[in-house]
Amino acid sequence: MTHRRTHWLKPPGPVAPGLKIGLLGGSFNPAHDGHLHVSEVALKRLGLDHVWWLVTPQNPLKPAIGMAPQRERLAFAADKFEQHPRIVVVDVETALGTRYTVDTLAALKRRFPQVHFVWLMGTDNLKGFRRWKRWAEIAARVPIAVVMRPGTILAPLQAKAMQRFACARRDRASLSQLALAKPPCLVVLDGPRSTASATAIRQGLTRDEALVRIIPA
């Protein structure tokens, strides 16, 4: 089914031969400044043209309980962050009928063979990357850039993916060519770190909602 759907997938944003596009996948439950931080670091350091936010219908590694409906997550992300001229919020997995990142990447590369994709993630996701379906195949398909997040300073040292696929150290000039590098290639981008997280936001909302119910109007 995915092969048949690939040909009909409408480009979710600007697409042209040679463009360098970062792919940031996740639940975005909800989208927050941490996602924006990862995107802006990658845009600047890697010389990307755009970043696509791939809002998944349901992360296979996360419980459905507490997960807002996808249409709400898409709408919130687009409303709050798509005013950024180089960020595009997309729902390609529903269109493609894919569930796992490895299959989504394969479909996107078939559909847009002249685009140079880079998979983006924070170090908080790097810690669990080996639990992703066929994670080594993901690394073999596209270069991966990992942006440092607070509290995960040891993740690049401990992650199996980093131990297996880490690129040679790159200077600023060569980082801008990462999208053109032959995978597997995994690099870590450090700098100022955002403390925002979807879990903290959801927990804060839960506390606020509880107070609303307790405190009389």
Side-chain angles (χ1 to χ4, degrees):
M1 176 62 76
T2 300
H3 287 272
R4 292 198 296 271
R5 291 182 179 182
T6 300
H7 176 72
W8 299 106
L9 178 65
K10 179 180 178 181
V15 171
L19 281 185
K20 296 183 287 186
I21 295 177
L23 301 174
L24 182 62
S27 301
F28 294 89
N29 187 42
H32 54 73
D33 286 342
H35 298 124
L36 178 63
H37 172 73
V38 169
S39 302
E40 289 185 328
V41 169
L43 283 164
K44 181 178 180 179
R45 299 282 298 279
L46 303 179
L48 301 179
D49 297 294
H50 300 278
V51 172
W52 293 355
W53 287 11
L54 311 183
V55 181
T56 182
Q58 173 60 50
N59 186 329
L61 298 177
K62 292 185 177 180
I65 297 175
M67 187 69 66
Q70 187 198 26
R71 64 181 181 278
E72 294 181 10
R73 291 180 277 124
L74 282 162
F76 182 85
D79 180 61
K80 297 296 183 181
F81 296 101
E82 213 171 33
Q83 69 272 20
H84 192 295
R86 294 160 70 190
I87 290 177
V88 183
V89 178
V90 300
D91 176 23
V92 297
E93 289 188 333
T94 298
L96 292 170
T98 56
R99 185 183 182 197
Y100 297 99
T101 297
V102 64
D103 299 321
T104 302
L105 279 175
L108 286 175
K109 287 176 67 68
R110 280 196 301 270
R111 176 65 180 87
F112 308 111
Q114 294 177 305
V115 170
H116 303 291
F117 290 114
V118 177
W119 187 260
L120 308 176
M121 68 171 72
T123 41
D124 48 345
N125 283 319
L126 177 64
K127 292 191 297 182
F129 185 46
R130 62 184 178 82
R131 297 173 56 213
W132 294 25
K133 184 178 181 180
R134 307 206 310 269
W135 65 271
E137 186 177 333
I138 295 172
R141 286 190 178 277
V142 293
I144 298 175
V146 183
V147 177
M148 290 293 294
R149 296 293 309 278
T152 56
I153 190 170
L154 296 179
L157 299 176
Q158 299 170 342
K160 187 174 181 179
M162 178 58 75
Q163 295 168 2
R164 181 169 173 180
F165 295 124
C167 289
R169 191 174 185 87
R170 290 171 174 260
D171 57 28
R172 178 175 293 185
S174 62
L175 277 177
S176 66
Q177 299 302 308
L178 178 68
L180 307 181
K182 181 179 179 180
C185 184
L186 193 155
V187 298
V188 176
L189 305 178
D190 202 356
R193 301 171 192 171
S194 169
T195 58
S197 77
T199 300
I201 291 172
R202 290 196 303 274
Q203 290 173 344
L205 287 173
T206 301
R207 288 192 296 269
D208 291 345
E209 290 165 356
L211 285 172
V212 168
R213 288 194 293 269
I214 293 171
I215 300 173

